Amino acid sequence: MTEKFDAVVVGAGPAGITAAYVMAKNEMSVVIIERGEFPGSKNVIGGVLYVKTLNDVMPEFWKEAPLERRITQHSYCLIGSKGHTLVTHKGAAHSEPPNGYTILRAKFDKWYAKKAEEAGATLITKTNVTELLSKEGKIDGVRTDRGDVSADLVVVAEGANTMLCEKAGLITKPRPDQMAIAVKEIIALPSDRIRERFALEEDEGAAIQYIGASFKGLVGFGFLYTNRESLSLGFGAIISTMMRGRMKPYDLMERFKQEPSVEPLIRDGAVKEYQAHMIPEAGYAGIPRLFSDGVLVVGDSAMLANPVTGEGADLAVLSGRMAGEVALRAHGMRDYASRTLSEYQELLENSFAVRDMKKQSGLLQYIESNTEIMTAYPEAINAMLSEWFRVDGSTRSEKIRRIRSIVSAKRKTTRVLKDLYVLGRKLL
């Protein structure tokens, strides 16, 4: 039997749940269809949810949500072949509003979906959407393995695997250089040991990003985030660079875990979960047309992830909110045509997040065409600092001359200047 709703949302991740919550809270009839056993059961995230975008939807949500640790400590670890350099910033422990928290998606998504249900949305799990239905050129529902669902509007939040959108001709299949493989392990560790190893207070958390020798020149980075009683450890790398290097994710993970800057932090921990997932990495240039008659595309399906900053979950929430708001206006006018739904893409284009992605457009491609950047600078910085701190009878002037030689040996001066020019244009 075909059921009819004002809107059907495909996928119960942060983007889809946010869109459903905004619509249901304003009395639209909404159904969320999730293929997993429960929301969050099939989702992978590095671990940090920044507060700003979700707070705009649900003020002070952090006071009741199942969050892990408030991130007060951010670090970059530059791995060389003979050492590593850790750059750390620690902020105020109790600033309001907080900046971000580590989360475990299996817990968080389940809670968030419950909030959407409380607002009036219907959640259907363990159901696979096989195609988008259309009538006279307009999307008007979905086909599932349990029957058809009819709706005035379909919000597609199926994640990075955009089979529905590709099948409907909304999006072309992403190329290997536009997608990354993210691999993550959840490593159980007692709370007191986490606090001791990372120098944290009770609810404080740390986030570390790694680049350098361990990843053999891949375009990507590693990460380590602290949860209450576990660590999220993993890495993400562009698929095309892994294919060229004939590298396997599992082998890289094992190498990463033995890295001297990582191993002491995870020592004696027990691996509880291993996950692998695709994430969009094309940046602004990869964002397709996100609307058509009767349909909006949000989150990872919309290629909304910032490959430079690593932001993803908060951009998913942002897109979900904007899609929900545009859907409300379309519902009020009973007009779900492209001319009305196009406002969604306009809102995204003018958001702080997509403006950042637009400015940074092309940076990842520049790095991919100069992959030695990923190892040359970490190696140079480690060698420079090793030289600077060594007491061997040399004067500081002599050391500076040797440091100049070290840098030029790792990356020619003309290339360094070009790198600085590109980075300055894209980031400043």
Side-chain angles (χ1 to χ4, degrees):
M1 180 182 294
T2 300
E3 296 187 68
K4 174 68 188 295
F5 293 86
D6 292 331
V8 57
V9 177
V10 182
I17 296 172
T18 302
Y21 176 83
V22 170
M23 291 186 287
K25 189 178 179 182
N26 290 276
E27 301 184 349
M28 286 180 65
S29 62
V30 182
V31 61
I32 310 169
I33 302 177
E34 165 60 33
R35 66 188 177 95
E37 184 177 354
F38 58 86
S41 63
K42 291 185 175 295
N43 293 316
V44 177
I45 187 176
V48 177
L49 173 69
Y50 294 100
V51 164
K52 162 65 181 167
T53 51
L54 186 50
N55 191 57
D56 289 343
V57 177
M58 193 181 295
E60 298 188 334
F61 75 92
W62 64 84
K63 294 182 178 180
E64 60 170 300
L67 306 172
E68 294 297 304
R69 290 179 179 271
R70 179 193 287 229
I71 296 298
T72 58
Q73 186 170 297
H74 288 83
S75 302
Y76 289 100
C77 186
L78 309 177
I79 304 171
S81 56
K82 297 180 180 179
H84 65 270
T85 299
L86 190 68
V87 180
T88 299
H89 167 75
K90 187 162 186 176
H94 302 292
S95 59
E96 292 292 340
N99 184 43
Y101 288 87
T102 51
I103 63 173
L104 295 174
R105 289 284 296 275
K107 295 180 181 179
F108 180 81
D109 287 13
K110 188 183 293 185
W111 169 84
Y112 196 22
K114 185 67 176 176
K115 301 303 286 187
E117 287 186 281
E118 291 172 1
T122 298
L123 174 65
I124 300 174
T125 59
K126 295 184 283 187
T127 301
N128 189 37
V129 176
T130 57
E131 64 179 299
L132 303 180
L133 300 176
S134 63
K135 183 178 181 180
E136 297 178 354
K138 175 190 176 297
I139 302 297
D140 67 347
V142 299
R143 176 154 293 157
T144 79
D145 52 9
R146 296 169 63 182
D148 293 350
V149 180
S150 178
D152 294 319
L153 177 69
V154 176
V155 178
V156 180
E158 62 178 329
N161 190 1
T162 58
M163 289 188 296
L164 287 178
C165 291
E166 291 171 31
K167 193 173 181 179
L170 298 172
I171 293 175
T172 58
K173 186 176 180 64
R175 304 187 309 269
D177 63 338
Q178 295 179 314
M179 303 296 291
I181 287 287
V183 175
K184 183 181 73 171
E185 289 185 358
I186 300 294
I187 301 173
L189 204 63
S191 179
D192 58 347
R193 202 167 298 178
I194 291 174
R195 294 199 305 272
E196 178 184 348
R197 289 183 182 180
F198 292 86
L200 302 170
E201 297 298 327
E202 183 65 32
D203 293 321
E204 291 182 336
I208 308 174
Q209 290 189 343
Y210 297 82
I211 61 171
S214 283
F215 304 107
K216 299 183 177 181
L218 291 177
V219 179
F221 62 87
F223 56 81
L224 194 162
Y225 302 119
T226 58
N227 306 313
R228 289 189 181 275
E229 295 185 329
S230 65
L231 304 175
S232 295
L233 178 74
F235 68 89
I238 300 294
I239 293 174
S240 58
T241 61
M242 294 193 71
M243 291 170 62
R244 285 199 297 270
R246 297 182 180 180
M247 299 177 191
K248 297 179 180 178
Y250 182 81
D251 293 339
L252 281 169
M253 175 62 89
E254 290 305 303
R255 175 189 175 97
F256 184 36
K257 288 166 67 175
Q258 296 304 313
E259 161 61 37
S261 60
V262 174
E263 192 277 332
L265 299 176
I266 65 173
R267 187 176 297 161
D268 302 323
V271 176
K272 296 297 184 182
E273 294 180 40
Y274 177 88
Q275 301 169 321
H277 190 65
M278 286 197 306
I279 54 177
E281 291 289 304
Y284 180 79
I287 298 176
R289 188 172 184 257
L290 303 178
F291 62 92
S292 189
D293 291 338
V295 63
L296 294 172
V297 184
V298 299
D300 281 0
S301 298
M303 303 293 280
L304 288 171
N306 190 322
V308 177
T309 64
E311 294 172 88
D314 50 325
L315 302 191
V317 171
L318 178 68
S319 67
R321 174 177 69 81
M322 291 179 170
E325 291 170 349
V326 170
L328 289 174
R329 287 190 279 276
H331 180 66
M333 296 185 292
R334 295 294 189 271
D335 180 4
Y336 299 93
S338 291
R339 62 180 176 273
T340 300
L341 299 181
S342 64
E343 182 189 0
Y344 163 60
Q345 189 138 8
E346 293 171 10
L347 289 173
L348 276 175
E349 291 279 353
N350 290 319
S351 70
F352 75 94
V354 177
R355 289 205 309 269
D356 271 350
M357 290 175 67
K358 186 174 184 179
K359 183 175 177 62
Q360 295 157 7
S361 181
L363 179 56
L364 202 66
Q365 290 71 27
Y366 176 78
I367 294 173
E368 189 175 1
S369 63
N370 295 270
T371 53
E372 64 273 16
I373 288 174
M374 302 302 294
T375 52
Y377 288 108
E379 287 282 12
I381 290 170
N382 278 286
M384 286 164 53
L385 292 175
S386 178
E387 177 66 34
W388 182 256
F389 289 118
R390 183 183 298 113
V391 177
D392 59 1
S394 302
T395 66
R396 290 299 169 186
S397 296
E398 290 170 334
K399 284 181 175 291
I400 288 171
R401 284 195 293 272
R402 288 205 292 266
I403 285 171
R404 287 174 180 166
S405 298
I406 289 170
V407 174
S408 61
K410 302 295 182 184
R411 187 85 169 152
K412 292 181 179 179
T413 303
T414 54
R415 289 186 174 271
V416 171
L417 293 174
K418 184 177 181 180
D419 295 342
L420 290 173
Y421 172 73
V422 172
L423 289 172
R425 284 186 59 218
K426 298 298 182 181
L427 299 179
L428 301 180

